[in-house]
Amino acid sequence: MKQNDMSFKNEKPIVLVKIEQESETNHPLALLFLVNSLRKAHFHAKILLERSQNFKVEDFVQRILDQNPLFVGFSAITGRQAYDAALVCQFLKKKHPEIITVWGGIHTSLVPEQTLKQDYIDFIIKYEGEETIVDFTETFIAERKDFSSILGLGYKENGKTIINKDRPFINLPDYELEAEDWECIDVEKAIYTDPTTGDRIFDIQTSRGCPFNCGFCYNTRFTKRKMRFFAPEQVERMGKLLHDKYGVNAIKFTDDNIYSKYDRMCDIVLRLRSVGIVSRYLQTRIEDISKDSLRNLSSYGVSRIFFGIETGSPSTKILINKRISNDLIKEKVRLISKYPDMGITCAMIIGFPTETEKSIDETIQLGVELTKIHPNTVVTFQTYVPFPGTDLYQLAVGGGYTIPKNPLEYKDLDTMDGDIDIKWASYKGLKGTALALKL
């Protein structure tokens, strides 16, 4: 049943907004899970997606107002997304002061107090929002509005900001995406067509969380190292729907570590293949690679694996709590090189707190060595991002990093488009993002 055919509790739609950085496709999964939760609670929601490269605040705000929303929800990660969301939210409140705004997502969860203090933000939702947004909406439309018992919610009362206790993690299998959810977006704009193979590729998330404890990663705080999983048959159903209705024939797993349960991953890949979908892209930790797994992945049609290598410096490996030796990394890449058509992407980060020219040199050298071992290797360099609440954050502050005071000050906290002020790290006269781009 389509959303338009259902009996909803709200006449005005809930409008969910996400503004992405430059990208060839939209990435709507996070908002689709919210739509799924709201729909099953008989609330009507719409999704509006925009990209920063063709972004005009005034026009986008008018698109929001044209929906006559019950309230407007914003999702953003720390960095450029938070900046763009703040621009829109500010202008929206200026043009229509009575409209209610709700912020959620990674940025809000990392700095909830700072976010809620902004005069253009009325409510916040911390961590996962699927259950909290339903409880909030039920209370919001009620005659008596008491927000004090809603777990995971932040609100304002008599000039004070109040943040309730955190909500436990959701049971992920309860939120399997269904046909009605995909109808909330233009699916075609979320499909990437590979110019080489012609594959129509879509993102699929089969799990949430990561069990590891990397010192720079927001996940240690956002998902608290706890993993939850969709059942393989649920992933198969979601894949079949995308294939049969939208012509998707390949997927990219967006899981932080789908490899953590290897047999489950293989089951999912085979199930998807049975409904016409090839699993082209996945990410994992390089130490998980083996001869047997590579043989399987090659037969399954996997064409690229993403690894977070992060650094080639032994001292930095200790700092970030990712102690995979360079020798082991090179050994694993040699195994992969026996499959010339299987590409790998190795992500490197420069500018960690306490980094020196020597440690940056070690990272560059490792990247060069990997491309020599396996020519089908892409090495990316990006700037360290000081995510609030992570283990390295206070080191960054101690090194001179200036803490932004509001979402509008996070514009430059961006590894690709920004100019992160990394005072402690320089390399041959270059600093921050300029250094990463040069590399």
Side-chain angles (χ1 to χ4, degrees):
M1 183 181 292
K2 295 184 178 181
Q3 283 215 34
N4 292 338
D5 298 332
M6 292 184 69
S7 176
F8 291 112
K9 300 175 184 177
N10 54 320
E11 293 182 9
K12 296 180 178 182
I14 298 160
V15 175
L16 304 175
V17 171
K18 184 182 178 187
I19 305 153
E20 297 190 327
Q21 295 157 276
E22 294 188 18
S23 173
E24 295 181 12
T25 55
N26 291 331
H27 302 279
L29 281 178
L31 298 185
L32 285 173
F33 288 119
L34 297 181
V35 164
N36 173 274
S37 180
L38 288 163
R39 175 180 58 80
K40 289 186 291 191
H42 299 285
F43 289 113
H44 178 33
K46 293 184 176 182
I47 292 175
L48 293 183
L49 302 172
E50 190 54 272
R51 302 180 199 162
S52 56
Q53 70 264 39
N54 56 3
F55 177 60
K56 292 185 178 179
V57 174
E58 297 86 350
D59 294 345
F60 190 54
V61 166
Q62 190 57 53
R63 280 181 62 197
I64 295 172
L65 292 175
D66 288 346
Q67 311 306 314
N68 190 26
L70 178 66
F71 63 82
V72 183
F74 291 83
S75 177
I77 192 170
T78 300
R80 177 61 189 264
Q81 277 191 19
Y83 167 80
D84 284 334
L87 283 182
V88 171
C89 198
Q90 239 184 5
F91 194 84
L92 181 66
K93 276 289 196 180
K94 184 177 180 181
K95 194 166 184 178
H96 201 305
E98 295 79 20
I99 207 160
I100 298 300
T101 59
V102 184
W103 275 49
I106 292 168
H107 179 75
T108 298
S109 301
L110 295 180
V111 285
E113 294 84 3
Q114 183 190 86
T115 305
L116 187 56
K117 284 179 181 177
Q118 309 310 310
D119 58 8
Y120 49 86
I121 299 172
D122 298 305
F123 296 88
I124 64 164
I125 292 175
K126 289 180 64 181
Y127 305 115
E128 294 177 318
E130 285 84 354
E131 294 178 356
T132 306
I133 197 169
V134 170
D135 288 352
F136 167 74
T137 307
E138 293 277 13
T139 303
F140 184 73
I141 65 173
E143 289 187 16
R144 182 177 179 272
K145 295 176 172 51
D146 181 7
F147 300 106
S148 62
S149 62
I150 301 177
L151 298 177
L153 185 74
Y155 61 102
K156 297 172 181 177
E157 188 173 84
N158 299 323
K160 294 182 179 180
T161 58
I162 301 170
I163 298 178
N164 296 338
K165 292 180 179 179
D166 292 345
R167 182 180 293 270
F169 288 122
I170 64 169
N171 182 42
L172 190 59
D174 291 342
Y175 298 93
E176 175 185 339
L177 297 178
E178 299 169 314
E180 300 92 332
D181 305 316
W182 301 109
E183 291 167 0
C184 288
I185 63 167
D186 184 344
V187 173
E188 199 62 34
K189 290 183 178 179
I191 294 173
Y192 170 71
T193 301
D194 189 309
T196 304
T197 64
D199 285 337
R200 288 168 56 79
I201 304 172
F202 199 91
D203 293 348
I204 282 186
Q205 183 183 48
T206 81
S207 65
R208 286 186 187 174
C210 178
F212 296 98
N213 191 29
C214 299
F216 58 89
C217 183
Y218 66 80
N219 241 332
T220 56
R221 182 170 171 188
F222 191 72
T223 61
K224 298 178 172 63
R225 302 174 67 188
K226 180 178 176 62
M227 293 198 72
R228 280 82 35 75
F229 304 88
F230 283 115
E233 57 269 25
Q234 291 183 291
V235 181
E236 179 185 351
R237 284 194 294 267
M238 289 188 279
K240 180 173 171 50
L241 192 156
L242 288 168
H243 175 271
D244 293 352
K245 189 168 184 177
Y246 301 106
V248 172
N249 70 326
I251 62 97
K252 180 179 79 171
F253 293 114
T254 63
D255 305 46
D256 290 305
N257 194 344
I258 192 171
Y259 234 79
S260 63
K261 288 192 174 184
Y262 179 75
D263 290 342
R264 171 184 175 274
M265 180 194 73
C266 292
D267 187 12
I268 287 172
V269 169
L270 291 173
R271 285 173 177 271
L272 289 173
R273 192 163 67 170
S274 74
V275 298
I277 291 183
V278 180
S279 304
R280 292 293 189 204
Y281 178 104
L282 58 86
Q283 62 183 28
T284 186
R285 288 173 65 104
I286 198 163
E287 67 265 38
D288 292 334
I289 293 295
S290 68
K291 289 181 180 179
D292 290 341
S293 69
L294 284 171
R295 189 182 308 114
N296 288 337
L297 294 178
S298 178
S299 69
Y300 297 157
V302 173
S303 58
R304 182 160 292 273
I305 310 175
F306 176 93
F307 302 114
I309 303 298
E310 324 307 1
T311 180
S313 164
S315 60
T316 305
K317 290 176 189 287
I318 295 171
L319 175 73
I320 68 175
N321 197 29
K322 199 162 188 178
R323 307 184 188 197
I324 309 168
S325 73
N326 290 348
D327 287 341
L328 179 60
I329 291 169
K330 286 184 277 190
E331 175 189 326
K332 298 296 185 179
V333 173
R334 287 190 190 96
L335 286 178
I336 300 169
S337 70
K338 295 178 181 179
Y339 298 86
D341 293 334
M342 186 178 291
I344 61 173
T345 298
C346 298
M348 304 289 198
I349 299 176
I350 56 172
F352 288 114
T354 75
E355 277 233 277
T356 62
E357 286 203 7
K358 179 176 181 290
S359 64
I360 294 173
D361 258 332
E362 290 168 332
T363 298
I364 296 169
Q365 184 59 39
L366 177 61
V368 171
E369 289 183 50
L370 297 182
T371 61
K372 290 179 178 178
I373 295 170
H374 183 37
N376 197 357
T377 297
V378 174
V379 178
T380 64
F381 291 93
Q382 65 185 59
T383 313
Y384 161 70
V385 177
F387 281 110
T390 56
D391 291 347
L392 297 187
Y393 188 67
Q394 288 305 319
L395 273 180
V397 173
Y401 173 67
T402 303
I403 300 175
K405 297 180 177 63
N406 61 69
L408 290 169
E409 294 185 7
Y410 284 92
K411 179 181 180 181
D412 289 330
L413 199 70
D414 184 282
T415 60
M416 303 305 292
D417 299 322
D419 186 16
I420 303 175
D421 184 15
I422 297 179
K423 294 180 170 65
W424 55 85
S426 65
Y427 184 81
K428 301 189 187 310
L430 295 171
K431 287 190 175 185
T433 308
L435 170 55
L437 293 175
K438 181 69 174 179
L439 292 175

